[in-house]
Amino acid sequence: MHWTEYLPSLMQGAWVTVQLTLYSTLLGAAAAFVFGIGKLSRNWALRGVSIAYIEVFRGTSLLVQLFWLYFALPLAGNAIGIDLRLPPVLAGVLALGLNIGAYGAEVVRGAIQAVHSDQHEAARALNFTERQTLFRITIPQAIPEMMPSFGNLAVQNLKDTALVSLISLGDLTFRAEQIRNFTQESTTIYTMLLFMYFGMALVVTAIMRLLERFAGRWRVAGS
C-alpha cells in the first residue's frame, strides 16, 4: 500500500487528538487558575484542597490517573450503587486536563507571587479590596509571565494525548497502531506519526506565541 492510503484514517485520528488537546488544555487552564489562586488563599480549607489536588496530580503518573478514571472509578461507583462510567473522550479530557492543570497551578502561583510588592501597596493606597487587587492588579501583570510556561505545558499536553490510545480511544496513535498491525509497515507508519505530531506541535507553539504577544501588549498598555 502507498503511504497516501493511510492518510484518511490518520486524519480522523488527528481530529480526535486535536479535540482532546483543545478541551483538556482549556480545562487545565481553568484548573490552573482556580487551584493556583486557591493555594495562596487565606482560607485554610480552600488552600488545603488546592495543595492536595496539586500534589496528587503532580505526584502520580498520568497513565495511572487515566486508568483510574476509566477503569477503577466505575468499579468504585458500582460498590456504592452509582453508575460512574465515563465515555473514553471524557475520561481522556479529565485525566489530561486535571494533570496539566496541576502543573499550571504552580505556574500561576509563582507568577502571582512574583508581582512586586509595590503594586500591592499602591492598591491599598487606592482602597482596593483583596479581590479587586487580585483581579485588577496582580493577575493582569502575572499573566504575561505565565505564558511561556503555559506554552510548554500546552505542547506537552498534545504529546500526552497519545496515552488515550490505551483506553481504545481512536486518536492519532490508536489509528496508527491499527494500520501498523494490519500492514506491518512500522517504519512508514511511525514516521508519518512522528511528523504529524511534530506538525501539530508547531501549530500549538505558534498559537501560544500569538497569545504571549497579545498578553505582552496587554502588560505594556496597563503599565
Side-chain angles (χ1 to χ4, degrees), residues 4-145:
T4 55
E5 297 181 49
Y6 308 143
L7 279 177
S9 181
L10 290 177
M11 292 303 295
Q12 290 178 356
W15 175 236
V16 174
T17 294
V18 168
Q19 293 179 82
L20 282 170
T21 302
L22 176 61
Y23 298 146
S24 60
T25 299
L26 291 175
L27 173 61
F33 276 94
V34 169
F35 293 103
I37 294 171
K39 190 173 182 179
L40 299 173
S41 174
R42 294 184 181 181
N43 183 308
W44 66 268
L46 179 57
R47 187 171 64 253
V49 169
S50 299
I51 291 172
Y53 159 75
I54 292 169
E55 295 305 321
V56 167
F57 279 90
R58 291 176 69 212
T60 56
S61 165
L62 172 56
L63 181 60
V64 175
Q65 294 162 18
L66 178 64
F67 282 177
W68 191 89
L69 286 170
Y70 189 68
F71 295 113
L73 183 61
L75 296 177
N78 290 339
I80 58 176
I82 301 176
D83 186 4
L84 295 178
R85 287 175 297 178
L86 299 178
V89 172
L90 180 57
V93 168
L94 284 175
L96 291 164
L98 292 174
N99 181 270
I100 212 71
Y103 290 94
E106 284 295 279
V107 173
V108 171
R109 177 199 57 78
I112 288 175
Q113 290 183 318
V115 174
H116 201 279
S117 60
D118 289 350
Q119 301 294 324
H120 299 281
E121 293 174 6
R124 281 194 294 269
L126 293 171
N127 292 321
F128 278 20
T129 65
E130 288 189 5
R131 185 182 296 273
Q132 287 174 321
T133 301
L134 177 64
F135 288 102
R136 295 187 182 183
I137 304 296
T138 307
I139 290 181
Q141 294 189 53
I143 284 178
E145 305 301 325

Side-chain angles (χ1 to χ4, degrees), residues 196-207:
M196 291 181 77
Y197 272 112
F198 180 63
M200 288 189 288
L202 289 179
V203 172
V204 171
T205 300
I207 292 172

